[in-house]
Amino acid sequence: MVTMSIDESKADLGTDKDINHPRFGDGIAIPTLEPVPPHLVEGHQMVFVNELKLSDFKQVLLRAGIHAEFSGGILYCNAGLIAVRRNEAGRINLEGCICDDYYRVRELLYEQYAIV
């Protein structure tokens, strides 16, 4: 987040007819953007942009050396250790034991999205 500040001691812009006059450096205030201190920056909810197809994600997993197979609309990874499924609202759920493979699958899943 950035704020705009003007040095008011130099902010003598004159009348409306003087605004277009090119007087750079003649006491005219030049607006500058200053960064907001980090403690004043408000966070926001992450938004994941993309419509992921589980069949495409299966190919990503296979290229990364993770065994993946479909069963009943659920994508099982590494012999059922991790399950990737789409819920009723269309969101992707990742379930499984917390292990290195879980974090690898999660990282590959995040790479499929633009996160803003």
Side-chain angles (χ1 to χ4, degrees), residues 23-111:
R23 298 186 312 168
F24 182 76
D26 278 340
I28 296 234
I30 300 172
T32 59
L33 295 176
E34 302 292 329
V36 174
H39 67 280
L40 295 177
V41 176
E42 297 178 16
H44 67 280
Q45 187 72 23
M46 289 191 302
V47 177
F48 293 84
V49 180
N50 192 5
E51 184 63 34
L52 180 71
K53 294 182 180 177
L54 290 179
S55 58
D56 293 341
F57 187 54
K58 177 182 176 184
Q59 297 303 317
V60 170
L61 292 170
L62 292 174
R63 282 193 297 268
I66 297 172
H67 178 73
E69 61 184 46
F70 275 110
S71 179
I74 301 171
L75 182 60
Y76 291 102
C77 307
N78 286 352
L81 200 60
I82 301 153
V84 183
R85 69 181 81 208
R86 188 176 302 277
N87 66 14
E88 298 82 27
R91 293 185 168 197
I92 300 291
N93 291 340
L94 182 64
E95 301 171 355
C97 298
I98 302 298
C99 60
D100 291 338
D101 289 337
Y102 177 88
Y103 290 111
R104 275 184 48 208
V105 170
R106 186 180 72 169
E107 182 180 336
L108 290 168
L109 181 63
Y110 284 173
E111 287 175 1

